Coordinates of all heavy atoms in Angstrom, one line a residue:
N126 N -5.6 -1.2 -6.6 CA -5.5 -1.4 -5.1 C -4.3 -2.3 -4.8 O -3.7 -2.9 -5.7 CB -6.8 -2.0 -4.6 CG -7.1 -3.4 -5.0 OD1 -6.2 -4.2 -5.2 ND2 -8.4 -3.7 -5.2
N127 N -4.0 -2.4 -3.5 CA -2.8 -3.1 -3.1 C -2.8 -4.6 -3.5 O -1.8 -5.2 -3.9 CB -2.6 -2.9 -1.6 CG -2.1 -1.6 -1.2 OD1 -1.7 -0.8 -2.1 ND2 -2.1 -1.3 0.0
D128 N -4.0 -5.2 -3.3 CA -4.1 -6.6 -3.7 C -3.8 -6.8 -5.2 O -3.1 -7.8 -5.5 CB -5.5 -7.2 -3.4 CG -5.7 -7.3 -1.9 OD1 -4.7 -7.4 -1.1 OD2 -6.9 -7.3 -1.4
S129 N -4.3 -5.9 -6.0 CA -4.0 -6.1 -7.5 C -2.5 -5.9 -7.8 O -2.0 -6.6 -8.6 CB -4.8 -5.0 -8.2 OG -6.2 -5.3 -8.1
L130 N -1.9 -4.9 -7.1 CA -0.5 -4.7 -7.3 C 0.3 -6.0 -6.9 O 1.2 -6.4 -7.6 CB 0.0 -3.5 -6.5 CG -0.4 -2.1 -7.0 CD1 0.1 -1.1 -6.0 CD2 0.3 -1.9 -8.4
L131 N 0.0 -6.5 -5.7 CA 0.7 -7.7 -5.3 C 0.5 -8.9 -6.1 O 1.4 -9.8 -6.2 CB 0.4 -8.0 -3.8 CG 0.9 -7.0 -2.8 CD1 0.4 -7.3 -1.4 CD2 2.4 -6.9 -2.8
E132 N -0.5 -9.0 -6.9 CA -0.7 -10.1 -7.8 C 0.3 -10.1 -9.0 O 0.5 -11.1 -9.6 CB -2.1 -10.0 -8.4 CG -3.2 -10.4 -7.5 CD -4.6 -10.3 -8.0 OE1 -4.8 -10.0 -9.2 OE2 -5.6 -10.6 -7.2
R133 N 1.0 -8.9 -9.1 CA 2.0 -8.8 -10.2 C 3.3 -9.5 -9.7 O 4.2 -9.8 -10.5 CB 2.3 -7.3 -10.5 CG 1.2 -6.7 -11.2 CD 1.4 -5.2 -11.3 NE 0.5 -4.6 -12.2 CZ 0.7 -4.5 -13.5 NH1 1.9 -4.8 -14.1 NH2 -0.2 -4.0 -14.3
I134 N 3.4 -9.8 -8.4 CA 4.6 -10.4 -7.9 C 4.4 -11.9 -7.9 O 3.4 -12.4 -7.3 CB 4.9 -10.0 -6.4 CG1 4.9 -8.4 -6.3 CG2 6.2 -10.6 -5.9 CD1 6.0 -7.8 -7.1
T135 N 5.3 -12.6 -8.6 CA 5.1 -14.1 -8.7 C 6.3 -14.8 -8.2 O 7.4 -14.3 -8.1 CB 4.9 -14.5 -10.2 OG1 6.0 -14.0 -11.0 CG2 3.6 -13.8 -10.7
F136 N 6.0 -16.1 -7.8 CA 7.1 -16.9 -7.3 C 7.0 -18.3 -8.0 O 6.1 -19.1 -7.7 CB 6.8 -17.2 -5.8 CG 6.7 -15.9 -5.0 CD1 5.5 -15.3 -4.8 CD2 7.8 -15.4 -4.3 CE1 5.3 -14.2 -4.1 CE2 7.7 -14.2 -3.6 CZ 6.4 -13.6 -3.5
T137 N 7.8 -18.5 -9.0 CA 7.8 -19.7 -9.8 C 9.1 -20.4 -9.7 O 10.2 -19.9 -10.0 CB 7.5 -19.3 -11.3 OG1 6.4 -18.5 -11.4 CG2 7.3 -20.5 -12.1
P138 N 9.1 -21.6 -9.1 CA 10.4 -22.3 -8.8 C 11.2 -22.5 -10.1 O 12.5 -22.4 -10.0 CB 9.9 -23.7 -8.3 CG 8.6 -23.4 -7.8 CD 8.0 -22.4 -8.6
E139 N 10.6 -22.6 -11.3 CA 11.4 -22.8 -12.5 C 12.0 -21.5 -13.0 O 12.9 -21.5 -13.9 CB 10.6 -23.4 -13.6 CG 9.9 -24.7 -13.3 CD 8.6 -24.6 -12.5 OE1 7.9 -23.6 -12.6 OE2 8.4 -25.5 -11.6
I140 N 11.6 -20.4 -12.5 CA 12.1 -19.1 -12.9 C 12.9 -18.4 -11.8 O 12.3 -18.1 -10.7 CB 11.0 -18.1 -13.4 CG1 10.2 -18.8 -14.6 CG2 11.5 -16.8 -13.8 CD1 9.0 -18.0 -15.0
L141 N 14.2 -18.3 -11.9 CA 15.0 -17.6 -11.0 C 14.9 -18.2 -9.6 O 15.0 -17.5 -8.6 CB 14.8 -16.1 -11.0 CG 15.0 -15.4 -12.3 CD1 14.4 -14.0 -12.3 CD2 16.4 -15.4 -12.7
G142 N 14.7 -19.5 -9.5 CA 14.7 -20.2 -8.2 C 13.5 -19.8 -7.3 O 13.6 -20.0 -6.1
G143 N 12.5 -19.3 -7.9 CA 11.3 -19.0 -7.1 C 11.4 -17.6 -6.3 O 10.6 -17.3 -5.5
R144 N 12.4 -16.9 -6.6 CA 12.6 -15.6 -6.0 C 11.5 -14.6 -6.5 O 11.0 -14.8 -7.6 CB 13.9 -15.0 -6.2 CG 15.0 -15.7 -5.5 CD 16.4 -15.1 -5.7 NE 16.8 -15.4 -7.0 CZ 17.9 -14.8 -7.6 NH1 18.6 -13.9 -7.0 NH2 18.2 -15.2 -8.9
P145 N 11.0 -13.6 -5.7 CA 9.9 -12.8 -6.2 C 10.3 -12.0 -7.5 O 11.3 -11.3 -7.5 CB 9.7 -11.8 -5.0 CG 10.9 -11.9 -4.1 CD 11.5 -13.2 -4.4
A146 N 9.4 -12.3 -8.5 CA 9.7 -11.7 -9.8 C 8.4 -10.9 -10.2 O 7.4 -11.0 -9.6 CB 10.0 -12.8 -10.8
I147 N 8.6 -10.2 -11.3 CA 7.5 -9.4 -11.8 C 6.8 -10.2 -12.9 O 7.4 -10.6 -13.9 CB 8.0 -8.0 -12.4 CG1 8.7 -7.2 -11.4 CG2 6.9 -7.3 -13.1 CD1 7.9 -6.8 -10.2
R148 N 5.5 -10.4 -12.7 CA 4.6 -11.0 -13.7 C 5.2 -12.3 -14.3 O 5.0 -12.5 -15.5 CB 4.1 -10.0 -14.7 CG 3.3 -8.9 -14.1 CD 2.8 -7.9 -15.2 NE 3.8 -7.0 -15.6 CZ 4.2 -6.9 -16.9 NH1 3.6 -7.6 -17.8 NH2 5.2 -6.0 -17.2
G149 N 5.9 -13.1 -13.6 CA 6.4 -14.4 -14.1 C 7.6 -14.2 -15.1 O 8.0 -15.1 -15.7
M150 N 8.1 -13.0 -15.2 CA 9.2 -12.7 -16.1 C 10.5 -12.9 -15.3 O 10.5 -13.1 -14.1 CB 9.1 -11.3 -16.6 CG 7.9 -11.0 -17.4 SD 7.9 -9.3 -18.1 CE 7.8 -8.3 -16.6
R151 N 11.6 -12.8 -16.0 CA 12.9 -12.9 -15.4 C 13.4 -11.6 -15.0 O 14.5 -11.1 -15.3 CB 13.9 -13.6 -16.4 CG 13.5 -15.0 -16.7 CD 14.6 -15.7 -17.6 NE 14.2 -17.0 -17.8 CZ 14.5 -18.0 -17.0 NH1 15.1 -17.8 -15.8 NH2 14.1 -19.3 -17.3

Side-chain angles (χ1 to χ4, degrees):
N126 68 37
N127 288 349
D128 289 337
S129 296
L130 284 174
L131 289 176
E132 288 176 3
R133 292 173 167 269
I134 308 300
T135 57
F136 307 86
T137 308
E139 302 82 31
I140 299 175
L141 301 168
R144 292 183 287 168
I147 301 297
R148 294 183 284 123
M150 299 183 292
R151 295 184 178 277

